[in-house]
Amino acid sequence: MLRERALKVVLGLVGLFFSAAIYPAIGGLMDPAHSDTGDTMMMSLYFALGIFLLIAVRNPSAHRSLIAFATWSSFAHAVVMSVLGFEIASERTGFLIGSAVLVAIGVALIVLGPGMQSGRLAASDGA
């Protein structure tokens, strides 16, 4: 019960954090000449993921695949940002801090994520 409550809190916080990506996305759309189009597109994806994580707060076990996607995509993004941080010295600090945040999100979701339900296991064994 405590683990599920903690997961709901983490999902809510991460969902709000990712949903806040709408602000840089809108900024990039309003002034595309002075923005990185790749970042604008990435922020739109994070915004959408954030909305769905907020929806998952109500019933995390029904959204296991979404939580797994948020977990592993956070790890993947962190790896790419870390490599870029070592390649682009002027961006190193920002990329490594961003990577650490994404790794923390991924670890929190993987530790607290809902496990397989025993009813689902029994149903899959009989199939």
Side-chain angles (χ1 to χ4, degrees):
M1 187 71 164
L2 182 62
R3 179 177 164 179
E4 184 178 1
R5 181 170 288 160
L7 175 61
K8 288 181 177 186
V9 169
V10 169
L11 286 173
L13 291 174
V14 173
L16 289 172
F17 178 65
F18 284 174
S19 295
I22 192 67
Y23 294 109
I26 289 173
L29 292 173
M30 292 178 69
D31 189 13
H34 296 100
S35 69
D36 183 343
T37 55
D39 285 348
T40 301
M41 288 185 277
M42 179 64 78
M43 292 299 109
S44 69
L45 293 174
Y46 272 107
F47 169 70
L49 179 57
I51 295 300
F52 280 95
L53 289 174
L54 290 172
I55 292 168
V57 169
R58 296 182 101 195
N59 186 4
S61 60
H63 299 278
R64 290 181 69 246
S65 59
L66 173 70
I67 295 168
F69 174 78
T71 300
W72 294 105
S73 66
S74 293
F75 289 145
H77 192 167
V79 167
V80 171
M81 283 179 57
S82 295
V83 170
L84 288 175
F86 288 109
E87 295 290 325
I88 307 169
S90 63
E91 301 290 331
R92 183 168 295 147
T93 302
F95 281 161
L96 294 180
I97 290 171
S99 295
V101 169
L102 288 169
V103 166
I105 288 169
V107 168
L109 290 175
I110 208 165
V111 166
L112 297 171
M116 289 286 278
Q117 296 172 345
S118 59
R120 288 183 65 192
L121 285 174
S124 65
D125 288 343

